Amino acid sequence: MRSCTAIVTLAILAAASVGATGIAPRSAAAPRVHLWRVPDAGIQPQAVVDAAGAVHVLFFKGAPAGGDLYYAVRGPSAESFSAPLRVNSVPGSVLASGTVRGGQFALGAGGRVHVAWYGAKELAGPGKQRPVWHARLSADRTRFEPQGNVAAGSTGIDGATVAADPGGNVYVAWHAQGIKDGEAHRTVYVATSKDAGATFARAEPAPQASTGACGCCGLRALVDASGSVHILYRTATDGLYRNAAWLTLGTGPGKPVVLQPWKLDACPMSTFALTQAGPGLAAAWETEQQIYYARLDPAARTFSTPLRMDGPAGRKHPSIATGADGTTLVAWTEGTGWARGGTLAWQALDRGGSRLGAQTNAAPVPVWGLVAAVALQDGSFAILH
């Protein structure tokens, strides 16, 4: 496999042949979009809005090769975020370099926060295993409980993600080496907790994930309104393709749904975005340095024709949010790369996929930075950068 750090040049060369956008002209007024800086000058925000309208945010601070995760919350009528709580109990155990390996989080039973991340350092002992750490907010919401490794037995780990439901189930997923060396034998692994994250069963390969997973790309997991667990990830097949793929746990052995193929014999170091959108889901991902969006129908296992966001190539790391009226905001970074910052851009779409508004160069994105979009109760959106 070619070096992951060389992919920026490869992907930009491949981007010249990207197809038409499929986005209709502006059809109505653009929604209000607030640009919020990450609390405490942090980077790599992840954000979720709860049923009461509070915005929960996870972010990174410290040395990129080994820093810390922090959590804060902002009530629906508040002007700022709460004082941050450090998530990781082992200082410096979070990796920001590469952008794809930072923390992700989910709200579980009783609104409890669950965080998962790829370990910055190998564990002591034979095998030099990298951990996938999990930590949960304490019952009194004053601190995070000590982190624990949920990936014992996996090797060649990358791309940690987490999802949770109101019933106390928590799912931490990543991709790792299979029974043989090489990306063609990698697959998605899932560790499941049935007791709100107190304990996890030994991780198992997801039977719905075909072998072949891109070695340096992120995953995104979500439990939908019906309780089904969905994971977006990038496959690695035949040494030629890095397809955006969608799998749903519990559907029996089979293959994931390919959302979009990408002929590329190298790792693009890409990430995914996934959110609830009415009875279905909305997803965003990168193909050939462009950002694409689609609606997913979990019941039928089908999806809408992917829509490309307007503009030139050089785009990565999407985030997505959908409001109660069906309006969707897709945000992403432009010009970011290995050890290089860039800018924030966004595009708003109505329920049918017509463009409502867009903005480029909206705000700076720091080195190793991400953006995070959320839909607010008043119908507006916020993007943290």
Side-chain angles (χ1 to χ4, degrees), residues 224 226 228 230 246 248 279-281 296-302:
D224 70 15
S226 71
S228 296
H230 305 274
W246 165 33
T248 303
L281 304 172
L296 314 184
D297 183 344
R301 300 287 289 153
T302 59

Side-chain angles (χ1 to χ4, degrees), residues 6-376:
I7 186 54
V8 174
T9 300
L10 292 169
I12 289 175
L13 290 174
S17 61
V18 176
T21 68
I23 297 290
R26 188 188 308 267
S27 61
R32 287 184 297 139
V33 178
H34 312 280
L35 302 182
W36 292 348
R37 185 66 183 93
V38 178
D40 208 20
I43 65 170
Q44 297 188 354
Q46 306 284 319
V48 175
V49 177
D50 65 23
V55 178
H56 303 253
V57 63
L58 178 76
F59 60 92
F60 176 94
K61 287 197 69 176
D68 303 304
L69 289 172
Y70 290 87
Y71 162 78
V73 63
R74 177 172 174 164
S77 60
E79 296 294 325
S80 61
F81 284 91
S82 63
L85 295 176
R86 195 177 79 183
V87 174
N88 48 304
S89 54
V90 179
S93 59
V94 187
L95 183 66
S97 301
T99 310
V100 303
R101 301 182 177 106
Q104 293 188 30
F105 79 118
L107 303 183
R112 197 166 200 170
V113 177
H114 296 271
V115 184
W117 68 97
Y118 171 91
K121 300 176 178 64
E122 296 171 343
L123 297 173
K128 295 184 177 180
Q129 183 194 20
R130 288 271 184 170
V132 173
W133 296 114
H134 165 267
R136 64 176 184 171
L137 190 64
S138 62
D140 62 6
R141 302 175 186 262
T142 61
R143 60 182 178 84
F144 277 83
E145 296 175 353
Q147 66 196 64
N149 178 26
V150 298
S154 292
T155 58
I157 288 168
D158 217 336
T161 185
V162 62
D165 67 23
N169 298 303
V170 183
Y171 308 89
V172 180
W174 59 91
H175 54 82
Q177 190 58 59
I179 58 175
K180 297 180 181 179
D181 291 339
E183 284 191 318
H185 303 287
R186 296 180 69 83
T187 193
V188 175
Y189 288 78
V190 182
T192 302
S193 172
K194 300 294 185 181
D195 55 9
T199 60
F200 281 84
R202 184 178 178 85
E204 298 288 345
Q208 298 79 21
S210 55
T211 54
C214 192
C216 297
C217 285
L219 281 72
R220 180 66 62 172
L222 176 76
V223 180
D224 70 15
S226 71
S228 296
V229 184
H230 305 274
I231 301 174
L232 301 183
Y233 76 109
R234 192 167 297 284
T235 64
T237 57
D238 302 325
L240 293 174
Y241 291 94
R242 305 284 165 157
N243 301 334
W246 165 33
L247 65 88
T248 303
L249 302 183
T251 56
K255 295 183 178 180
V257 174
V258 174
L259 297 173
Q260 191 174 43
W262 185 358
K263 191 173 183 179
L264 181 70
D265 63 346
C267 173
M269 298 193 76
S270 63
T271 54
F272 293 86
L274 186 62
T275 190
Q276 189 80 42
L281 304 172
W285 63 90
E286 172 200 348
T287 297
E288 296 184 334
Q289 290 283 294
Q290 294 283 4
I291 301 300
Y292 287 82
Y293 153 84
R295 291 288 185 117
L296 314 184
D297 183 344
R301 300 287 289 153
T302 59
F303 58 95
S304 64
T305 301
L307 301 177
R308 196 193 82 185
M309 301 296 98
D310 297 337
R315 297 164 162 197
K316 296 187 74 67
H317 306 311
S319 182
I320 192 167
T322 299
D325 65 352
T327 299
T328 294
L329 184 83
V330 184
W332 61 87
T333 68
E334 297 197 334
T336 56
W338 189 264
R340 186 179 70 242
T343 60
L344 157 67
W346 60 264
Q347 186 162 309
L349 308 166
D350 68 14
R351 190 186 300 270
S354 295
R355 194 182 83 155
L356 299 177
Q359 186 177 2
T360 59
N361 297 314
V365 174
V367 174
W368 307 127
L370 295 171
V371 298
V374 289
L376 304 180

